[in-house]
Structures are given as structure tokens and as C-alpha cells.
Amino acid sequence: MGLTRYQTKRRFDRTPEPAGKKGTSAGVPAPELIYVIQKHRATHLHWDLRLEEGGVLKSWAVPKEPPTEAGVKRLAVEVEDHPLEYASFEGTIPAGEYGGGKVEIWDRGTYRVLEATPAKRWIEITGTRLRGPYILLKLKPAEKDDRNWLFFKLKPKEP
Ligand SMILES: [Mn+2]
């Protein structure tokens, strides 16, 4: 995924520059990965954003409804990784258990990585409610244990 941005900017049938061997091949988009958001009526209603990464679902709890349009920024609190099978989970976690409350799938589909660093994910989401380019941005990248991120949609030409 490190070369995706380099490769998408160039037409390797027209430039003598190397296409690069790592990452995806020129003209071939990054693989489609699991994207899901579960609405979770726990003690505090929130939306769990989950993105397949490295064989698990990276997860963020979003306290307000995730944005479908550019211009709305949401706090997204990083939580523990979940197993891939969790993407299809719906049901009621019993009261008194961790996360007790109703879980329902609010949106699901796929996403592609456009650029990823430890403090940033620039992704293209193909869901039903959420579609298009989104950013996850760590608020305090220097603080390793800080779990607060921002989640927002980009206008088509950004960044
Ligand atoms: Mn949750």
C-alpha cells in the first residue's frame, strides 16, 4: 500500500519511471477489504467503525452518527481489534456483559487503502450509507497511547 499513491499518479505506459514491485501493480487497484459500521446501543449509543487490516478488524467507536457528507468531523475512539467474523455480527449482548446492548449493522461494504501511516488512514469506502474518500487522523500522533482520532469525509478532489 506504500506505493499506491505513487502508482495512481503515473501512467507507466507513458513514463519511463519504474512502476515499482512492492504494493499493487500499476493500474490494479488496492484490494477490497471489509468495511462495516455497527450501531451499538450500549450504555452510550455509538457507532463502531471497523476496517479489515492485517487479518483483524481495526475498530473505532464513534459517539455520533458517522458523516455521509464532507464537512462533518467526528471523534473516533480507537478500541480493541475485533475478529473478522465480527463484521456480520448482529444481536443483543446481555445486560451486565461487556458492551451490553443491541448491536445492528448500520452500514457495510468494502474499502480500499489509498494511503496508510500509523497516524493516518486515507481510504475509499464503498458502502451503502458511506461512499467515497474518507480520512482517519490520529489527533495526537506523538502520543502512542492516545486513542482519539478524527473521522471525516473528503471532498472528491482532496487532499
Ligand atoms: Mn461498541
Side-chain angles (χ1 to χ4, degrees):
M1 74 187 70
L3 291 177
T4 302
R5 198 168 181 188
Y6 170 87
Q7 289 165 340
T8 54
K9 286 171 181 285
R10 291 165 173 82
R11 294 189 285 188
F12 293 104
D13 56 341
R14 302 191 186 197
T15 173
E17 297 167 292
K21 289 178 187 140
K22 278 198 78 183
T24 55
S25 306
V28 178
E32 291 188 340
L33 300 164
I34 296 169
Y35 147 77
V36 66
I37 294 177
Q38 284 147 325
K39 189 173 182 177
H40 187 181
R41 298 173 202 275
T43 310
H44 299 281
L45 170 67
H46 61 273
W47 286 257
D48 287 305
L49 165 66
R50 307 191 198 281
L51 300 173
E52 178 183 0
E53 195 178 297
V56 296
L57 294 174
K58 286 287 183 193
S59 299
W60 291 263
V62 182
K64 291 185 177 176
E65 188 165 295
T68 56
E69 301 296 332
V72 180
K73 288 186 166 72
R74 290 289 187 239
L75 177 67
V77 181
E78 189 178 353
V79 297
E80 75 275 21
D81 297 346
H82 280 52
L84 292 180
E85 307 91 278
Y86 208 91
S88 56
F89 175 74
E90 286 190 300
T92 299
I93 301 168
E97 296 304 311
Y98 181 73
K102 190 178 168 193
V103 175
E104 59 188 327
I105 292 170
W106 183 80
D107 196 24
R108 74 193 305 178
T110 60
Y111 84 101
R112 296 177 199 277
V113 177
L114 301 177
E115 190 180 306
T117 73
K120 181 182 172 184
R121 303 288 188 284
W122 174 24
I123 60 178
E124 179 87 20
I125 293 177
T126 305
T128 302
R129 294 177 190 258
L130 269 51
R131 300 183 73 86
Y134 278 80
I135 291 271
L136 272 158
L137 204 59
K138 202 167 186 291
L139 277 170
K140 296 175 182 170
E143 293 181 31
K144 245 195 153 188
D145 294 334
D146 194 86
R147 296 177 161 269
N148 293 329
W149 296 61
L150 281 180
F151 178 56
F152 55 94
K153 188 177 186 180
L154 295 172
K155 291 177 187 135
K157 295 287 179 175
E158 291 180 82

